[in-house]
Amino acid sequence: MADKNFLVLLIDDDELLLRALKRTLSRILPHWAVETLQDAHQLTERLSKGTLPDVVFTDRLMPGIHGEQVLQQVQQLSPMALRCILTADNSADLLVQDTALIHFFLAKPFTDEQLLQVFACAELLQALNFSAAERAYLGRLSVLPVLPPLYQKIEATLHKAEFQLKDIAELISHDPVVSSRLLQLANSAFLGFSRSTISLTEAINRLGLDMMKSVILALKSGLIYQNHLSTAQHQRITEQAFHQACLARYLCKQADLGSEIQDYAFLVSLLDCLGWMAEHLQQPSMADEDACHFSMISAYLLTLWGFEQSIVQAVILPDELSDCSSIPGVVHWLAHKAAQHKDFQLNENDQHIVESLQLYPAWTELQASLKTS
């Protein structure tokens, strides 16, 4: 087992299922070590002896214990592990909505592709430059924003062999909040649109599918937690994120960067709000632990949700501009600083980086416009 890079722990009272799943994982993921546990009541003892799984799968219904209880133990004793629940009840996804406790839900019978998605996510999370303390904090987060149902419906539509923008517009038209925001952005002179439109289909075409999806995430991810996040808090967070995203796009536009980079920088800066929301959603007891930067929470969520790693990396806000790994990441860093401090001044090293990327004239113009606004 020493030559294996990762470890998965399988928990189920069904010995035959454990054997079958172990064979499957050994076949499709030979670089993963696989351990099994037939009695879930022995989990605490197993973990206390030094077992540190990267992924834990548990059945939902077992004698004397539920899968949710098992994963609560995992969250406390091995918080860095991805937690997955298995069930034969295909309607259970309506009941299991605690996304902070359960990272993945798989309904039996599941496919190799569904399994691979979970393990790919675990490997991507391991590749992120997080400390052990930061990973433990993320694993113990008490409440997380959810992937909005509207977003999931749109993703399903986009994966159909043939789809049209009008199909997406029809889905969005039933949500007045998202509809109005998309139309507002599609008519924004600040974003470079000079001709007005009242067509959702045209608005989606102007903004692009990636920007449309990021807008939905920003607006809808935290709304389900009304007892944790007030309407005013949610509105303030999303408005701050939209302001920052518009600054990022403005920087790109003034620097004559292409529309693809403009859209990329916009959505990266907008997705910051996921981490902001998550911070507001936590229980007071979490403040006593070693917290991590809100942008790391955003990166953690986006990885769980299957976003491209280039987006995940650009979302992370390092302390130093020199640690940004891409132009959208640099633009995001600058937009965040400008949004937080209108008179923010670059140090000599940062100015050299911005000049080398031919962003300095755009940066000075942005600062001037903020001071007069």
Side-chain angles (χ1 to χ4, degrees):
M1 195 170 71
D3 61 340
K4 302 290 186 177
N5 298 321
F6 304 97
L7 171 64
V8 55
L9 177 61
L10 310 177
I11 306 170
D12 199 318
D13 62 298
D14 188 334
E15 183 180 2
L16 292 179
L17 188 145
L18 281 180
R19 289 180 179 178
L21 186 52
K22 183 175 182 178
R23 285 196 301 270
T24 297
L25 294 179
S26 297
R27 172 176 55 82
I28 65 176
L29 293 160
H31 58 295
W32 278 75
V34 184
E35 293 188 10
T36 61
L37 183 63
Q38 194 172 352
D39 185 356
H41 296 89
Q42 297 177 1
L43 175 63
T44 300
E45 180 183 357
R46 175 74 68 91
L47 295 179
S48 66
K49 289 182 177 179
T51 296
L52 295 174
D54 299 289
V55 176
V56 175
F57 279 95
T58 181
D59 192 27
R60 188 160 190 248
L61 296 177
M62 295 175 287
I65 192 168
H66 282 186
E68 291 88 339
Q69 295 171 286
V70 172
L71 294 187
Q72 284 172 350
Q73 295 177 38
V74 175
Q75 185 179 42
Q76 291 303 311
L77 299 173
S78 187
M80 291 182 278
L82 274 189
R83 300 179 292 272
C84 314
I85 205 159
L86 309 173
T87 179
D89 181 1
N90 289 326
S91 65
D93 56 337
L94 301 176
L95 304 174
V96 183
Q97 291 295 335
D98 190 347
T99 57
L101 177 65
I102 304 166
H103 296 127
F104 287 93
F105 167 88
L106 293 183
K108 304 172 186 176
F110 38 82
T111 64
D112 287 0
E113 288 72 23
Q114 290 171 319
L115 289 170
L116 287 170
Q117 179 187 1
V118 174
F119 289 94
C121 179
E123 293 179 19
L124 289 171
L125 283 174
Q126 285 292 335
L128 293 175
N129 188 26
F130 293 169
S131 68
E134 289 165 343
R135 293 179 187 277
Y137 175 85
L138 291 167
R140 288 195 178 103
L141 290 173
S142 56
V143 188
L144 288 176
V146 297
L147 195 60
L150 176 59
Y151 185 97
Q152 298 179 52
K153 290 178 182 178
I154 289 173
E155 279 285 275
T157 301
L158 293 177
H159 281 87
K160 292 180 179 178
E162 295 182 3
F163 75 89
Q164 297 181 340
L165 287 184
K166 66 178 183 179
D167 301 326
I168 306 297
E170 171 62 23
L171 288 172
I172 294 174
S173 67
H174 296 281
D175 191 308
V177 174
V178 174
S179 298
S180 59
R181 177 61 80 171
L182 289 176
L183 287 170
Q184 179 188 20
L185 290 171
N187 287 290
S188 170
F190 190 77
L191 295 183
F193 303 117
S194 58
R195 183 175 58 84
S196 64
T197 182
I198 59 171
S199 165
L200 265 179
T201 302
E202 185 174 349
I204 296 168
N205 188 49
R206 288 184 182 184
L207 297 173
L209 294 174
D210 286 337
M211 187 184 296
M212 172 206 69
K213 291 192 292 183
S214 66
V215 169
I216 293 171
L217 281 180
L219 290 174
K220 308 298 288 185
S221 294
L223 289 178
I224 192 170
Y225 295 110
Q226 294 178 356
N227 293 331
H228 300 269
L229 195 68
S230 70
T231 301
Q233 284 177 317
H234 185 269
Q235 184 174 356
R236 183 171 66 253
I237 290 170
T238 54
E239 288 301 328
Q240 288 174 345
F242 275 106
H243 174 62
Q244 178 175 283
C246 287
L247 295 182
R249 188 181 177 98
Y250 179 84
L251 271 172
C252 291
K253 183 182 177 185
Q254 295 306 113
D256 292 324
L257 298 177
S259 59
E260 183 176 348
I261 293 182
Q262 291 180 35
D263 292 346
Y264 203 97
F266 180 94
L267 73 91
V268 164
S269 292
L270 181 62
L271 293 174
D272 250 359
C273 70
L274 297 172
W276 300 348
M277 282 184 212
E279 282 190 330
H280 282 78
L281 290 170
Q282 300 320 305
Q283 297 173 356
S285 60
M286 290 296 290
D288 298 330
E289 300 191 28
D290 293 327
C292 62
H293 196 276
F294 69 85
S295 68
M296 292 185 175
I297 303 177
S298 299
Y300 176 71
L301 277 170
L302 293 173
T303 302
L304 286 176
W305 292 348
F307 275 70
E308 296 176 10
Q309 283 302 288
S310 57
I311 294 177
V312 172
Q313 293 292 344
V315 161
I316 298 173
L317 286 168
D319 292 332
E320 301 296 332
L321 179 60
S322 57
D323 291 328
C324 293
S325 59
S326 65
I327 291 179
V330 169
V331 172
H332 175 211
W333 194 93
L334 292 171
H336 177 73
K337 295 298 184 182
Q340 298 297 314
H341 310 285
K342 288 185 177 182
D343 57 350
F344 178 78
Q345 297 297 315
L346 298 173
N347 62 36
E348 185 177 348
N349 185 49
D350 292 343
Q351 182 173 331
H352 176 72
I353 294 171
V354 173
E355 287 175 343
S356 70
L357 295 173
Q358 300 182 333
L359 287 169
Y360 192 68
W363 168 253
T364 55
E365 186 172 339
L366 174 63
Q367 282 194 306
S369 66
L370 288 174
K371 289 177 182 179
T372 58
S373 62

